[in-house]
Amino acid sequence: MNNLTHGLTLGILGGGQLGRMSAMAAARLGISVIIFCPEENTPASHVASETIVAPYDDKDALKIFSEKTDVISYEFENIPVETIEYIETLKKNSVFPDKALLNVSQDRIKEKTFINTSGIETTRWKAVSDINDIQDTLKEWQTNTFILKTTRDGYDGKGQGKFDTQDIDNISAFLNETQEHTLIMEELVDFTCELSIIIARNTSGETAIYGPMLNEHKNRILHTTTVPAGVTQDVEDKAIQIANTIATSVNLVGVLTVELFICPNDRILVNEIAPRTHNSGHWSIDACAVSQFENHVRSVCGLPVGSSERHSDARMLNLIGDDINNIDQHMGTPHTCVHLYGKKEARTGRKMGHINFIKPISKS
Ligand code: AMP
């Protein structure tokens, strides 16, 4: 037997739900997946053919992982870059997306610098170290409200706070609490909506685009994603152009997500980028012939990129914490697709699953 995927084994660093859904997509193509992560019993390991449980700096375990796999990817952006550098000393060009992109996306200052250097607009920002820097920046910007974020390890709104010039005590408390030498200060954007766009690109430069998607947050965590996003054609075209520009400039192999703020007069600012599949693309499992997860697998494995054409409109609802207790009502409902991640404990703010509500597009 001979086909493009025969005998292929994909390694994924990270054991979360994104790895789980990529592993399920890989299985559909006959590709085996080995997960590497420090935790036992993870959402991804439940569906993979094997899991290597070891810290990300365990060189012996990484060597075994590298020997057992043909190609390696990652499912979240806080995998240490040193881990990938080490794997690449064993096997050159075996990890996708490239570590340079991972490095940039791990640090908000590097990320914003990279985006701006690519000619793409972000909100105004400044690297700050203390209250004096913050006050100087406020004078320069002639503004009263702003956001402070840690440069690393922030996700789902963690490590950030919204402040006002009057909030001196809260600002000092935030600076003390984060214990970081440098933070990023951002102008508060008065956006009309938040969008994201996902691009998959393979080694031959073939691409597939998902979105733009409309994203609504609750307590700074993604709550719902809707496609189509209901924005103008001009915004849609510009969003796609931004994703293409970034993907081409880094010679992307894999999946890249771009989060956008849409401002009055259709001005578009990039908020952040992630070199991985994204929560705002989960609807694609049930509304596209080839999902973001399958195209993640296809693009890093050197396969043709599949069509991201949407056969249905969709709304994705995240199941956070206790939301998982209310899913029974959705189990028998037409065009309602329930996805659960197999997590045992429903902690506050924890993503437990999602539901895709789809509406087939009539072609008549
Ligand atoms: P982030 O961790 O940067 O993705 O931020 C999480 C959420 O906080 C975003 O999806 C926005 O809703 C909000 N946010 C972040 N940065 C800004 C900003 N500069 N202005 C307004 N809202 C922001």
Side-chain angles (χ1 to χ4, degrees):
M1 189 171 72
N2 192 12
N3 65 45
L4 288 173
T5 67
H6 183 64
L8 260 183
T9 300
L10 166 67
I12 298 180
L13 293 153
Q17 61 267 17
L18 300 177
R20 176 187 180 93
M21 290 182 270
S22 286
M24 288 161 81
R28 218 171 72 143
L29 293 174
I31 297 171
S32 305
V33 169
I34 302 181
I35 300 294
F36 188 108
C37 66
E39 308 86 14
E40 303 263 3
N41 198 17
T42 60
S45 60
H46 294 164
V47 300
S49 53
E50 188 181 337
T51 302
I52 297 176
V53 179
Y56 290 119
D57 60 0
D58 183 331
K59 291 189 170 172
D60 293 336
L62 287 170
K63 188 161 183 289
I64 296 169
F65 180 57
S66 170
E67 284 165 359
K68 287 186 162 193
T69 51
D70 298 298
V71 65
I72 292 172
S73 189
Y74 43 86
E75 61 103 44
F76 81 123
E77 64 269 35
N78 290 323
I79 301 288
V81 173
E82 295 73 25
T83 298
I84 293 174
E85 282 169 347
Y86 177 67
I87 294 172
E88 295 210 312
T89 63
L90 305 170
K91 203 157 38 174
K92 260 190 179 317
N93 299 326
S94 58
V95 187
F96 302 103
D98 190 271
K99 60 182 177 299
L101 192 55
L102 182 69
N103 188 31
V104 159
S105 68
Q106 286 180 350
D107 182 309
R108 291 187 194 271
I109 292 176
K110 286 184 191 161
E111 180 179 56
K112 290 242 178 359
T113 306
F114 162 72
I115 295 165
N116 294 151
T117 314
S118 308
I120 296 167
E121 208 183 351
T122 58
T123 182
R124 273 209 284 195
W125 64 274
K126 197 110 183 194
V128 293
S129 299
D130 55 30
I131 202 88
N132 293 332
D133 289 348
I134 294 171
Q135 280 169 334
D136 289 348
T137 309
L138 286 173
K139 266 192 218 141
E140 186 190 323
W141 290 352
Q142 300 275 304
T143 176
N144 291 325
T145 45
F146 61 96
I147 292 195
L148 282 178
K149 297 178 182 175
T150 53
T151 57
R152 301 179 76 89
D153 296 331
Y155 62 95
D156 289 344
K158 292 190 179 75
Q160 59 177 270
K162 190 165 136 187
F163 301 99
D164 191 278
T165 27
Q166 314 298 320
D167 285 338
I168 294 297
D169 288 349
N170 291 344
I171 298 168
S172 302
F174 185 80
L175 292 173
N176 281 336
E177 195 188 308
T178 56
Q179 292 283 322
E180 289 206 21
H181 182 257
T182 308
L183 293 168
I184 186 164
M185 177 171 169
E186 293 182 12
E187 194 167 36
L188 191 71
V189 180
D190 188 17
F191 51 76
T192 48
C193 69
E194 289 186 78
L195 303 182
S196 58
I197 188 131
I198 296 174
I199 180 166
R201 187 174 184 274
N202 70 5
T203 35
S204 317
E206 293 170 359
T207 59
I209 295 271
Y210 297 90
M213 290 74 87
L214 176 71
N215 297 325
E216 289 165 285
H217 296 79
K218 221 182 191 177
N219 303 322
R220 301 227 178 103
I221 301 178
L222 184 66
H223 179 54
T224 62
T225 293
T226 308
V227 272
V231 291
T232 62
Q233 190 62 48
D234 187 42
V235 167
E236 187 166 330
D237 293 346
K238 280 186 189 155
I240 292 173
Q241 194 187 350
I242 288 172
N244 270 317
T245 302
I246 299 176
T248 314
S249 75
V250 294
N251 199 13
L252 173 74
V253 174
V255 166
L256 173 82
T257 303
V258 185
E259 294 181 26
L260 304 163
F261 295 140
I262 310 305
C263 304
N265 301 319
D266 288 353
R267 183 168 164 235
I268 301 185
L269 307 177
V270 169
N271 176 32
E272 58 182 10
I273 57 173
R276 56 164 171 80
T277 55
H278 195 262
N279 194 167
S280 64
H282 291 2
W283 57 273
S284 62
I285 302 174
D286 298 306
C288 300
V290 177
S291 72
Q292 63 159 349
F293 298 105
E294 185 171 331
N295 265 333
H296 170 218
V297 173
R298 286 179 181 230
S299 50
V300 299
C301 288
L303 303 171
V305 163
S307 165
S308 56
E309 193 187 341
R310 210 158 29 79
H311 55 70
S312 299
D313 292 344
R315 190 170 78 91
M316 188 274 323
L317 173 71
N318 259 343
L319 299 170
I320 312 280
D322 288 341
D323 292 348
I324 196 167
N325 297 331
N326 304 323
I327 53 158
D328 291 356
Q329 55 175 317
H330 297 291
M331 288 291 193
T333 313
H335 297 143
T336 300
C337 315
V338 176
H339 298 256
L340 303 178
Y341 308 149
K343 297 180 184 175
K344 294 278 172 290
E345 211 189 323
R347 291 195 292 270
T348 309
R350 194 175 198 204
K351 291 176 179 168
M352 304 300 293
H354 67 271
I355 305 178
N356 290 332
F357 300 96
I358 62 164
K359 187 168 168 234
I361 300 167
S362 150
K363 294 278 182 199
S364 58

